[in-house]
Amino acid sequence: MTIEFETPKPIAQMNTMLQSVAENMMRSVSREFDENEHAIPWSYVEFMHTAMKAAGGGGGLTPGDDKPKEGAEKRPPIGYQRLASQIEMLSWGDAGFYLITPGGGLGAAAVQAAGSPEQRAKFLARFNGEKPTFAAMCMTEAGAGSDTSAIRTRAVLDEATQEWVINGEKIFVTSGDKSFTEYEQFGKGFIVVWASIDPTAGRAGMRAFVVEAGTKGVTIAKLEHKLGIRASDTATIALVDARVPYDNILGSPTVEKTTTGFKGAMATFDATRPLVAASGIGVARAALEFLKEKLTENGVTIRYGLPRNKLTSIERDVIDMEIQLRSAWLLIIKAVWMADNRKSNALESSMSKVRAGDVTTKITQKAVEIMGPLGYSREFLLEKWFRDAKITDIFEGTGQINRLVVARQILGYSGKELR
Amino acid sequence: MYSFEPNEEQQMLVDAVGKYAANDLRPAAHEAEESRELPKKLISKGWELGLLQASIPEAYGGFGERSAVTSALAVEEMANGDLAGALAVMTPSLFATPILLAGSEEQKQAYLPKIIEGEWHPYTAALIEYAFDFDANALRTTAKLSGENYILNGEKAFVPFAKDAEAMIIYADLDGQTQGFIIPKNAAGLSIADEREKLMGINALPLYRVKLDNVTVPQSNRLGGASGHNFELILASMRIASASAAVGVARASFEYSKDYAKERDAFGMKIAQKQAIAFMLAEMATEIEAIRLLIWEAAWMLDNGKEDAFKQAYLAFTGAADMAMMVTDRGVQILGGHGYIREHPVEMYMRNGRGFAMFTGLAIV
Ligand SMILES: Cc1cc2nc3c(=O)[nH]c(=O)nc-3n(C[C@H](O)[C@H](O)[C@H](O)COP(=O)(O)OP(=O)(O)OC[C@H]3O[C@@H](n4cnc5c(N)ncnc54)[C@H](O)[C@@H]3O)c2cc1C
Ligand SMILES: Cc1cc2nc3c(=O)[nH]c(=O)nc-3n(C[C@H](O)[C@H](O)[C@H](O)COP(=O)(O)OP(=O)(O)OC[C@H]3O[C@@H](n4cnc5c(N)ncnc54)[C@H](O)[C@@H]3O)c2cc1C
């Protein structure tokens, strides 16, 4: 092993390609879909589906099957590193669009993490099909956000029909509409619903269920209107006596004294937190690059290398922003590098999320501030990026929850000792 | 490829330096700071780890190759024990490393074997000047070419071990550019203050004011020979060293306050179980790791001759100085009133941490 910071060639090449996608398919219509909140940018979705299929990505943004081809030279795996770069680049284009990139998203990630080989085969093949296809993850409820153990949704086995009967209401489901509603343009998707099969067992009783699009008793009750990432739909999903086949449960159908089901969800988060962080960094980079461009246009240069007491306030701010952006990105790269190398990365994942949540918010805020009226105007996308950025510190564990994870790790505390 | 694991050799070095830092430097730090004195034996022991020796090729009496990454790892470890002690052990590098990086062949042969042979003996360098707007790229000390010689005038501050140094590199402005000049001990016109500098921190390190009054040296004493050198490379190397030391100091404060917080009871539980404390610790750990990676990247870029390496070193240095201040301040805060008392080291870490914004020139790797 060694210490090295060379962007792997395949990733560098991919970035060049994605930059043109970001400029031509995303930036050009960013504003339009920010202002028409629940409209779907079909052309982007279609294009990405076709492009990803052609690239052999298995349809969707995933770490992919990273094994080198037979006979090819052995090289270290880079699947998660590539994914983080893809997400950063797409979010540099538009973070809301990135979230509606077709594929399995968090729903498929849950199947991947907690499903059996048969379930993976059965549920995941669809993303490589003819039409763009989506999946979503439903954990959050009105009364259970950060505290996922408080979910009330129940799944009861109907012994007669050997079906699970699910009741409850899920909120804030990213791509819930695209995954569940049977649009003609889309393939049949699914949602993964977290429910308890034994409320007395707490976390040990929590299981995830694959609920196919169009399942009876399930309705999209609401689409949220949001501060930012408006191209991405955020759904409330009501489940009333929704019946799903017995085999759609991910993990064991019986409750032991262990919390393996819940741990499955948490393992998903270790993998996805740096990716959410990467999305935020893409937005922040967009804002910082825009700011620097505008400063240059206005004859302001940044004099790198000067002692700080000789710098102007704007210079100091820009230098700080660059430090924040790059160091936050490196935390992400380290976390996904660990994932690629099968090292446990709960600490690094959460660190990258903490830092990205902070710096994306600060960088976009500062950029708006420095640009003055131009920063506040909807003529430019900067004000949108400021709104988009904030979600980085909220979903996939808020900044506080990720601080708790980091603190527990460094202090050697359990969830009981530090809550 | 990306990779974040030191190689075997680097890891061995880090382990060895870490042991010295924990078992020798740290236990001696408080006493050294209060008495303004570092035991000679302590410095010798650090010298014997061979940090500098391992960065110098065999041709000049050493046994390795310089790598900014390796040095960054070692400096962090060393400074994690004690900053003043670490800077003292590494003082000869202030002279040797610029020669290795930018010296002429004659300069390398004349000095490198002598410096690394045997016991630690002081060679030093003078960059900092006593002015609020001190800028390494706009020095007040001047060098002027006069016939075959350079004539230097001005005043330098914070020069480690200047009193005993066998020779020093003095940085001066030559036609608008910073250039180094090798000044031998007892050069005519060179005067070193009797009194040591008194600073907020690093009191164990003997630092002196140095005056130059028409100090005259032949052209061959210009670092790099008659045609000089690129100061940016030296400055970037200094910045990476300072930044790494900042990480070491910050880590010391973090580690101490974390352990304290797990022991200290208040309101029926350990204070570490309070989010106000736990979140500070989480942020300290995150910030330290983020800046460490930024430094590693800068060092790697420098080692590999990447285009933006100098800028990256500047960013890493700037970020590290801010990080060190934030972390060491919180270290004191976590100990409450006890953090303010000199029996605990966190107040010293805070004083040392404040210096990094101006420590360019006290370390180079
Ligand atoms: C746009 C969007 C998309 C989303 N997509 C999905 C999705 O696809 N699937 C899904 O399941 N969920 C999704 N979510 C939900 C998201 O994960 C939650 O909003 C998030 O976990 C926070 O939960 P909450 O909103 O209930 O806030 P709460 O849990 O009520 O938190 C409120 C505040 O209290 C703080 N807090 C909570 N607990 C603690 C604690 N122990 N210590 C200190 N502070 C604490 C929080 O940090 C926060 O600042 C999405 C949310 C949004 C806004
Ligand atoms: C120079 C000096 C002069 C002083 N003069 C006097 C004096 O004249 N008379 C006198 O009686 N005292 C005096 N004090 C003591 C001073 O008031 C205490 O040091 C102070 O109240 C903090 O208590 P502590 O040092 O025991 O810290 P602790 O109570 O041990 O606190 C340690 C850390 O934990 C944090 N913490 C503690 N409880 C909580 C909580 N519930 N939630 C979150 N965080 C928490 C604190 O903020 C601090 O960061 C003096 C102290 C100093 C340093």
Side-chain angles (χ1 to χ4, degrees), chain B residues 200-237:
Chain B
M200 174 159 65
I202 51 168
N203 282 299
L205 186 70
L207 297 167
Y208 298 88
R209 246 11 114 71
V210 170
K211 270 206 178 109
L212 299 107
D213 183 10
N214 286 321
V215 172
T216 305
V217 291
Q219 268 188 41
S220 57
N221 276 34
R222 179 174 173 188
L223 187 58
S227 52
H229 61 95
N230 180 5
F231 178 63
E232 283 298 315
L233 174 61
I234 293 175
L235 186 57
S237 307

Side-chain angles (χ1 to χ4, degrees), chain A residues 2 308 326 343 403 411, chain B residues 3 5 262 283 297 322:
Chain A
T2 171
R308 56 184 66 203
R326 189 66 197 170
K343 296 171 193 288
R403 277 169 175 75
L411 289 161
Chain B
S3 179
E5 253 173 20
K262 287 184 74 174
E283 283 162 15
E297 184 177 46
D322 287 344

Side-chain angles (χ1 to χ4, degrees), chain B residues 260 264-267 271 274 276-277 280 332-338 340-341:
Chain B
Y260 183 91
R264 178 72 170 171
D265 291 294
F267 303 98
I271 58 169
K274 298 279 184 194
I277 299 292
M280 279 201 272
V332 171
Q333 187 63 27
I334 288 169
L335 268 74
H338 299 272
Y340 204 72
I341 307 299

Side-chain angles (χ1 to χ4, degrees), chain A residues 1-11 75-76 78 81 85 292 303-311 316 319-320 322-323 326-335 337 341 343 348 350-352 354-355 358 399-404 406-407 410-413 416-419, chain B residues 1-8 10 69 73 131-138 235 239 254 258 261-263 269-275 278-279 281-283 285-287 289-298 300-301 306 311-312 314-322 354 357:
Chain A
M1 275 297 170
T2 171
I3 291 172
E4 232 183 291
F5 289 85
E6 193 84 70
T7 307
K9 265 218 190 70
I11 294 182
R75 48 163 180 74
I78 56 166
Q81 295 166 62
S85 280
K292 286 170 72 174
R303 296 166 300 164
Y304 298 97
L306 279 190
R308 56 184 66 203
N309 53 9
K310 282 190 176 174
L311 295 171
R316 281 194 66 154
I319 286 166
D320 273 351
E322 286 191 40
I323 292 166
R326 189 66 197 170
S327 60
W329 176 243
L330 292 176
L331 281 182
I332 293 167
I333 288 291
K334 183 173 176 189
W337 169 82
N341 289 281
K343 296 171 193 288
E348 288 75 10
S350 281
M351 274 187 171
S352 75
V354 165
R355 178 98 176 150
D358 277 354
Q400 289 68 40
I401 294 305
N402 279 295
R403 277 169 175 75
L404 278 175
V406 172
I410 59 181
L411 289 161
Y413 279 164
K416 275 211 187 74
E417 289 166 304
L418 180 63
R419 50 173 90 223
Chain B
M1 286 292 145
Y2 287 110
S3 179
F4 297 89
E5 253 173 20
N7 65 31
E8 216 175 300
Q10 289 169 330
V69 171
L73 296 170
F132 91 92
D133 59 349
F134 161 68
D135 178 352
N137 277 311
L235 186 57
R239 283 172 169 158
F254 163 71
K258 179 189 72 173
K262 287 184 74 174
E263 292 300 320
M269 60 177 85
K270 304 296 177 195
I271 58 169
Q273 293 178 277
K274 298 279 184 194
Q275 288 190 352
F279 283 14
L281 287 167
E283 283 162 15
T286 302
E287 202 79 4
E289 175 72 357
I291 296 296
R292 177 189 287 128
L293 295 179
L294 198 62
I295 297 167
W296 285 6
E297 184 177 46
W300 175 85
M301 288 170 82
K306 297 285 171 185
K311 178 183 161 193
Q312 181 83 1
Y314 172 73
L315 294 180
F317 168 73
T318 305
D322 287 344
R354 181 60 282 178

